[in-house]
Amino acid sequence: MTQIRVKGFKIFNDRHGKRRCYHRATGHKINLEKTPLGSAEFFAECARIAAIAETKKAQAPKPGTLGGLLNTYFQTEHFGNLADATKRDYRKCADFLHPIRDTPVSAITTPLVSGIHDKAARKIGWRRANMVRTVLSQVFRHVIPKGLIDRDYAADVIPKPRPKDRPYANRPWTVEERAVVLERAAPHVRAAVALIMNTGLDPSDALKLTRRQIDADTIWGFRGKTGEEVAIPIGPTLQKALDAAPIHDAVTILATSAGRPWTYNGFSTVWHRFKKKLEAEEAVQPGLTLKGLRHTVATTLREAGLEERQIADLLGQKTPSMARHYSRSANLADRNRIKMETLEKENERRSKVVKPFQKPVKP
């Protein structure tokens, strides 16, 4: 029997005596039933797999280049611990840098990074440009200890300012807008909006909350983006909203009309359609976002006289060290209780002057 060999491929008999074949470098298996060993189809498949492997190898970041630094950073624990949304944003920045991935580390300077930053601002906007700068700074910082670069060349690059004529992103909601949204929203949507509105949680974190995270009169959890723990006392308004939420069997506090846990994209789609309908009726102003409710809570508390550090504690804007994890949790709810009481009283005061929604009469 002729023994067939193909460079880069292992051909063998498994423990059942059945012939097997796979590409050594990639582990890609060849189905010998569809492409019999030694046939023209078999050799064609081997050639195809080898060509793909060579192409991927050629595209892989080279050591000692910007692409190599990015690849090293993406394998660090720091990147692995980021929120999924942040990881996607960082990957998009790497895609923007892909055309210059072969730039040698020796050629990376602060003026070069500044030029990249300027070009990014022209092509993808000031916000994304600043994110590119942030990603490069993170990359440099995490590869310095590995001896792959000598300093953070993005540190001295000045972030792009927000254009003066750009609308305020995630602006706070007015009292009237809050009232009309709660009045007009479907019950399963109203419950979600009310939860975000009365806790200041990020929408993605609110949708993920499970029933087990409610202990007595407190919501316990972590902010997904920063890992900061949150302990939010449930005030009368929030309790009323939770009690009025549709009954369902999902493990999460919030659920769709079918009783299943929300996905962020699913809720965003439903919210966008509902918001557009309200905008068409001129019931709300353009620019209303779910994340704007976090700004609403912060703004309301700030106007009521609370300090920024107090508000930051409520919104989970500082990552605590693990050494202080449990001791901080023990009194976090008590520290936040007065803040939630302030928010409750301020919202109640403002709501007394809100008139019921009436569609404006056009002249």
Side-chain angles (χ1 to χ4, degrees):
M1 181 177 178
T2 303
Q3 187 173 4
I4 297 174
R5 289 190 174 91
V6 181
K7 184 178 180 180
F9 290 81
K10 182 175 178 62
I11 302 171
F12 64 102
N13 292 329
D14 65 14
R15 61 191 181 91
H16 301 294
K18 188 174 181 179
R19 298 290 270 174
R20 302 285 186 183
C21 178
Y22 69 88
H23 187 244
R24 294 178 186 273
T26 64
H28 191 102
K29 298 177 182 178
I30 294 181
N31 189 331
L32 296 181
E33 293 181 359
K34 293 183 178 180
T35 56
L37 188 65
S39 66
E41 291 81 3
F42 168 76
F43 289 112
E45 182 67 3
C46 288
R48 186 184 71 83
I49 294 172
I52 292 174
E54 285 298 319
T55 300
K56 288 185 176 180
K57 183 178 180 180
Q59 292 177 344
K62 300 176 182 177
T65 64
L66 176 60
L69 298 183
L70 286 163
N71 189 55
T72 299
Y73 170 69
F74 287 145
Q75 296 175 29
T76 63
E77 184 179 8
H78 179 269
F79 179 75
N81 287 333
L82 295 177
D84 290 341
T86 305
K87 288 180 182 177
R88 288 194 295 270
D89 287 339
Y90 277 30
R91 290 287 188 185
K92 289 178 181 178
C93 291
D95 291 341
F96 174 79
L97 297 168
H98 187 75
I100 58 171
R101 66 190 182 282
D102 291 334
T103 302
V105 171
S106 59
I108 297 176
T109 62
T110 295
L112 176 66
V113 175
S114 179
I116 294 171
H117 189 220
D118 291 340
K119 184 175 181 179
R122 293 192 298 270
K123 296 193 68 174
I124 57 178
W126 69 277
R127 187 185 298 276
R128 285 290 178 183
N130 286 342
M131 181 167 288
V132 169
R133 172 192 171 276
T134 298
V135 170
L136 286 173
S137 183
Q138 291 291 346
V139 170
F140 296 150
R141 287 176 55 207
H142 284 83
V143 301
I144 288 173
K146 301 178 185 296
L148 301 180
I149 201 168
D150 59 352
R151 55 175 290 222
D152 177 2
Y153 289 101
D156 294 330
V157 176
I158 301 173
K160 299 295 182 185
R162 179 189 186 87
K164 294 182 179 180
D165 58 348
R166 186 178 178 88
Y168 181 50
N170 301 317
R171 65 169 177 79
W173 294 24
T174 65
V175 180
E176 292 78 10
E177 288 172 330
R178 280 177 270 172
V180 72
V181 168
L182 291 178
E183 177 186 346
R184 301 280 298 278
H188 58 296
V189 177
R190 182 187 304 119
V193 173
L195 179 61
I196 301 169
M197 185 182 296
N198 289 281
T199 61
L201 285 170
D202 186 89
S204 59
D205 293 333
L207 296 173
K208 293 176 183 177
L209 281 176
T210 65
R211 299 173 189 271
R212 296 177 62 182
Q213 289 177 263
I214 293 184
D215 182 15
D217 63 347
T218 304
I219 294 175
W220 299 88
F222 289 86
R223 189 179 175 209
K225 185 175 181 180
T226 64
E228 168 73 347
E229 57 188 328
V230 292
I232 304 175
I234 300 174
T237 301
L238 177 55
Q239 187 61 61
K240 183 178 179 181
L242 294 176
D243 292 340
I247 298 175
H248 59 83
D249 296 326
V251 297
T252 49
I253 297 173
L254 304 171
T256 66
S257 57
R260 292 190 291 269
W262 283 106
T263 64
Y264 183 76
N265 288 340
F267 187 77
S268 294
T269 299
V270 172
W271 161 252
H272 182 74
R273 292 173 181 168
F274 173 56
K275 178 184 69 171
K276 286 299 180 183
K277 181 180 179 181
L278 294 181
E279 287 180 357
E281 298 175 9
E282 299 181 5
V284 300
Q285 294 298 310
L288 208 61
T289 67
L290 293 170
K291 287 182 181 293
L293 286 172
R294 277 177 62 81
H295 293 251
T296 306
V297 170
T299 301
T300 302
L301 292 175
R302 185 66 176 146
E303 291 175 351
L306 268 67
E307 297 295 328
E308 291 182 358
R309 184 64 264 157
Q310 295 175 295
I311 299 169
D313 283 343
L314 177 66
L315 298 182
Q317 292 179 328
K318 178 182 178 182
T319 303
S321 64
M322 292 304 295
R324 295 184 292 114
H325 177 72
Y326 291 104
S327 61
R328 190 173 187 278
S329 295
N331 59 24
L332 186 59
D334 290 337
R335 295 213 312 272
N336 281 340
R337 198 170 303 280
I338 189 172
K339 304 161 197 171
M340 294 308 297
E341 290 174 357
T342 300
L343 180 65
E344 189 84 26
K345 292 177 182 178
E346 187 66 14
N347 283 337
E348 182 179 359
R349 182 188 68 79
R350 296 184 182 194
S351 65
K352 290 180 180 179
V353 299
V354 178
K355 298 179 180 179
F357 168 71
Q358 294 181 348
K359 186 175 180 179
V361 179
K362 295 184 178 180

